[in-house]
Amino acid sequence: MSKRLYKSRENKMIAGVCGGIAEYFDIDPTLVRIGWVIFCALGGSGFIAYIVAAIIMPSRAVY
């Protein structure tokens, strides 16, 4: 079974992007969120990247 990147339903603050990335790499979602804030503060492109990821990343299907 291959690993897929989805928005998280459990570790969700805004859209679940950081939680989904954390689940994919099996790390703490807080670390991903802190990294994303630093990424946004350094150039501002992190905000645009988050919006794009929120639109492009699929949500995990509920079964």
Side-chain angles (χ1 to χ4, degrees):
M1 187 168 137
S2 66
K3 225 171 161 181
R4 303 238 8 212
L5 180 62
Y6 294 104
K7 288 188 274 187
S8 176
R9 291 190 175 275
E10 293 83 27
N11 295 316
K12 184 176 183 177
M13 289 284 190
I14 297 174
V17 173
C18 291
I21 292 170
E23 288 175 2
Y24 183 81
F25 290 109
D26 196 28
I27 57 175
D28 186 24
T30 305
L31 296 175
V32 177
R33 290 183 186 111
I34 290 171
W36 209 282
V37 168
I38 291 170
F39 184 53
C40 286
L42 290 178
S45 60
F47 180 72
I48 295 168
Y50 190 90
I51 299 298
V52 169
I55 293 169
I56 293 175
M57 285 174 64
S59 296
R60 186 175 300 273
V62 178
Y63 293 107

